[in-house]
Amino acid sequence: MKPDRKVTAGADLLLVNSPLKNYDLSPRRNDFTLPTLGLGYIATCAEQAGLTVDVLDAEALGLGLSKIAALINEARPRWVGLNLLAPTYVHSVKLMQLLDPGISVMLGGHQAKAMPRAILEDVRIPRIDALVLGEAETRVPRLLADLKTRRELPAVYWREAGRAIMPVVRAKDPLLLAPDLDAMPLLDRRFLQQDPYMDGSVLESAMVASRGCPFDCSFCGAAISSNPDVTVRMRRPEGLMAEVRQLRSLYGVQRIRFVDDLFLANRRLIRTTLKAFIDESLDMSWDATGRINVLASAADDLLALMSEAGCREVALGIETGSDRLLSHVDKKINVAQVIQAVVRLCRRGIHVKGYFILGLPTEMRGEHQATLDLIRRLWDLTEGLPGCFRCSVFEYRPYPGTPDWQRLVGAGYSPEAMLKYADSLDDEAFSADRDEFNFSTGLQFGEVPVATVRQNLAAIMREQRRR
Ligand code: B12
Ligand code: SF4
């Protein structure tokens, strides 16, 4: 815990990020996780509305369930709010069973949005006073102020007398579902456990520059077809720069990590934003996510502008080395574009982190090998360039609320089996910093057996580490 932070007693709302594992049973091996920005934003907005709020990031703190429950019950907030994600759901359920029955329970996050009815009908959960779908900053303060408003608020459900109550309420005010990012207060970092964070000798903070994604990648919980309520919004450069300046002046932050899906994909706003960075002359660097299709064909002067504006590393979803699979997952890119984008960025001195998925549904052996080959090829092609290429490889896991989910259910996979996780590898490739991604459903979705997927994943990450 930050040394000066204790869980606030008697708060209106205590937001809890459930841990990925029950750390009562074995200690956490990571010492860093990105901050829970979503919970931080809800807390910032609720506090501004005059409520007392706290955030307990149990993953960052490596807390086990009994310890979390003890902290909550001792602090006795009026409400507890839990951020449900597929792999942490089971822990959240256990946690709710340990809570003092006098504490009201609010649920939200991607899993709550993906399967609200199943959650409301999950008899293992003792009580659900509000389940909020989607971005919650504007609705949570209203719920806390007066529970009766849950009948008037759009996309808020609950359980009453053992029954799921899911009224259809039209959003009279569109901001209730998609808050105006430029009108929102700047994120109060006191609510974040490990942010700013000292990465080696550089003080780093995470930021969100946009929300929503117009793409429809089949494995992704942010895909547009699964989130028809989400409008794509990019923060205006003035607001972004105000936050950057604040991070610089309050904490001395030297590097920003934009964690949103598409910081560099918005062709309309990106130039103005980059120019704002340059005009501020803040002497800060930043990392961001981008899209291959945009960066492969971007004008040279845009790449030059990125570099001048302090861009250090771009994270790109490459996913696979097979054009057929790229098309199957609806990635809207091809391997030639991947190579073009990576080489162009590295030539400019911008590092690239490529995300890859092994074991995607329908992946054939040759396609699996093509992904491993593409990683090695990108290492070779960028050897000696001013920017470096590195890979971050994951085993495929299907999540509810993704376009893949229905396809897989239709293909005969059971939802229960797809949501059952076990730790997967005991390998140095997964030591400490990647432990949070080291779990698996154990299900085979392509031609390559799961054991081989895991072996190859560990081997390529070991190779990456040695480089
Ligand atoms: C940055 C990020 C991370 C960061 C930070 C995670 C965090 N705890 O916030 C890191 C790298 C640590 C991470 C880890 C994981 N992530 Co992640 N992550 C993201 C990413 C790219 C952006 C999240 C973000 O900050 N969005 C901006 C904020 C403002 O939005 P938000 O977090 O969604 O929060 C809003 C609403 O969801 C809602 N809300 C959220 N929580 C709550 C709680 C309550 C009570 C209420 C009322 C509302 C509410 O209100 C918030 C404000 O508007 C998303 C993709 C995406 N576009 O969402 C994936 C995503 C959320 N991650 C995902 C997953 C699976 C994980 C991991 C489980 C990965 C893993 N290990 O396999 C872990 C979980 C770690 C943990 N428990 O902390 C999935 C979730 C799918 C699902 N159905 O569960 C997503 C959608 C990506 C995907 N694969 O499709 N992640
Ligand atoms: S993987 Fe990236 S581009 Fe694709 S839908 Fe998800 S956030 Fe959008």
Side-chain angles (χ1 to χ4, degrees):
M1 234 176 276
K2 279 186 183 167
D4 55 338
R5 286 247 293 108
K6 297 218 162 40
V7 180
T8 309
D12 291 304
L13 173 66
L14 176 61
L15 291 161
V16 180
N17 184 35
S18 292
L20 272 159
K21 295 180 185 171
N22 182 358
Y23 299 115
D24 283 339
L25 308 177
S26 60
R28 184 169 185 264
R29 292 160 78 193
N30 291 22
D31 57 7
F32 173 67
T33 183
L34 281 171
T36 56
L37 298 172
L39 296 184
Y41 268 111
I42 298 173
T44 304
C45 293
E47 193 176 69
Q48 208 180 53
L51 297 148
T52 43
V53 197
D54 205 347
V55 179
L56 182 63
D57 187 344
E59 173 57 25
L61 292 165
L63 298 178
L65 298 176
S66 61
K67 176 78 183 151
I68 306 166
L71 280 172
I72 300 175
N73 290 334
E74 197 184 303
R76 229 177 175 290
R78 198 154 62 82
W79 283 81
V80 158
L82 292 170
N83 170 19
L84 303 183
L85 294 177
T88 61
Y89 179 71
V90 56
H91 300 312
S92 297
V93 170
K94 284 194 192 125
L95 191 56
M96 286 186 265
Q97 293 168 344
L98 297 173
L99 290 186
D100 184 322
I103 301 173
S104 301
V105 171
M106 182 187 293
L107 303 176
H110 277 267
Q111 186 72 355
K113 185 174 182 187
M115 37 196 325
R117 181 172 288 282
I119 294 170
L120 289 162
E121 290 175 352
D122 187 338
V123 290
R124 295 170 302 170
I125 302 178
R127 63 182 295 173
I128 302 176
D129 302 285
L131 183 148
V132 184
L133 270 57
E135 297 174 35
E137 288 92 340
T138 36
R139 286 169 292 162
V140 168
R142 295 184 196 212
L143 283 169
L144 295 178
D146 181 1
L147 183 58
K148 287 204 279 303
T149 56
R150 69 184 176 181
R151 296 193 175 278
E152 296 140 31
L153 289 170
V156 174
Y157 306 148
W158 64 95
R159 190 195 287 159
E160 208 167 87
R163 281 183 39 241
I165 312 289
M166 304 175 76
V168 180
V169 176
R170 274 195 40 167
K172 289 191 197 97
D173 176 359
L175 299 182
L176 287 173
L177 293 175
D180 175 354
L181 302 188
D182 293 314
M184 215 130 72
L186 295 186
L187 178 60
D188 187 337
R189 305 264 152 184
R190 286 176 304 131
F191 291 122
L192 305 181
Q193 191 54 49
Q194 285 184 320
D195 191 288
Y197 166 77
M198 191 58 89
D199 181 20
S201 59
V202 180
L203 193 62
E204 183 183 274
S205 261
M207 271 177 70
V208 177
S210 65
R211 290 199 192 171
C213 175
F215 293 96
D216 206 25
C217 308
S218 66
F219 52 83
C220 178
I224 182 82
S225 67
S226 309
N227 297 279
D229 57 318
V230 175
T231 41
V232 180
R233 284 146 296 148
M234 173 95 197
R235 288 171 65 185
R236 299 217 59 80
E238 304 77 50
L240 271 184
M241 293 322 298
E243 184 165 356
V244 172
R245 267 196 303 273
Q246 190 192 63
L247 288 169
R248 183 80 175 157
S249 62
L250 269 184
Y251 307 104
V253 166
Q254 297 152 299
R255 190 166 69 215
I256 305 290
R257 187 194 300 212
F258 290 102
V259 301
D260 45 299
D261 307 316
L262 287 174
F263 179 60
L264 289 169
N266 188 310
R267 293 176 201 262
R268 197 169 49 81
L269 269 181
I270 190 63
R271 277 178 193 274
T272 341
T273 308
L274 294 176
K275 284 192 181 122
F277 263 97
I278 294 167
D279 292 345
E280 290 280 337
S281 328
L282 284 169
D283 188 26
M284 284 170 87
S285 59
W286 47 272
D287 298 348
T289 48
R291 274 285 303 184
I292 300 270
N293 55 326
V294 174
L295 294 170
S297 61
D300 270 339
D301 73 310
L302 181 69
L303 299 190
L305 207 60
M306 280 167 60
S307 175
E308 195 190 342
C311 181
R312 186 193 72 124
E313 182 176 79
V314 175
L316 298 171
I318 298 174
E319 327 303 358
T320 161
S322 145
D323 276 333
R324 187 207 62 90
L325 254 189
L326 282 171
S327 159
H328 181 74
V329 300
D330 206 4
K331 193 73 202 177
K332 305 246 179 333
I333 58 170
N334 57 44
V335 173
Q337 286 174 309
V338 169
I339 292 170
Q340 205 182 356
V342 172
V343 171
R344 287 185 79 200
L345 287 165
C346 289
R347 275 203 189 119
R348 282 274 165 200
I350 297 170
H351 305 309
V352 175
K353 173 155 84 167
Y355 290 117
F356 295 85
I357 306 176
L358 290 178
L360 277 161
T362 79
E363 182 194 62
M364 309 293 281
R365 278 178 199 280
E367 295 172 328
H368 185 85
Q369 189 55 46
T371 302
L372 301 170
D373 292 345
L374 177 61
I375 295 171
R376 296 195 176 99
R377 185 152 176 225
L378 292 170
W379 282 334
D380 289 346
L381 286 169
T382 53
E383 191 80 54
L385 293 181
C388 299
F389 168 77
R390 64 180 172 128
C391 68
S392 190
V393 188
F394 299 86
E395 176 181 340
Y396 177 74
R397 287 181 291 260
Y399 294 122
T402 60
D404 267 350
W405 187 260
Q406 286 316 327
R407 287 209 289 217
L408 290 169
V409 172
Y413 288 92
S414 102
E416 292 73 30
M418 290 194 286
L419 285 170
K420 207 161 176 214
Y421 305 101
D423 285 7
S424 80
L425 281 167
D426 192 12
D427 188 289
E428 52 145 316
F430 276 103
S431 64
D433 59 327
R434 282 176 63 85
D435 195 38
E436 70 191 281
F437 299 110
N438 184 12
F439 59 89
S440 165
T441 60
L443 297 174
Q444 183 174 337
F445 296 101
E447 205 181 26
V448 181
V450 186
T452 314
V453 167
R454 291 181 199 161
Q455 275 160 17
N456 289 340
L457 194 162
I460 199 90
M461 285 313 295
R462 251 182 273 127
E463 236 174 291
Q464 176 63 74
R465 267 167 186 272
R466 275 191 236 109
R467 291 181 67 86

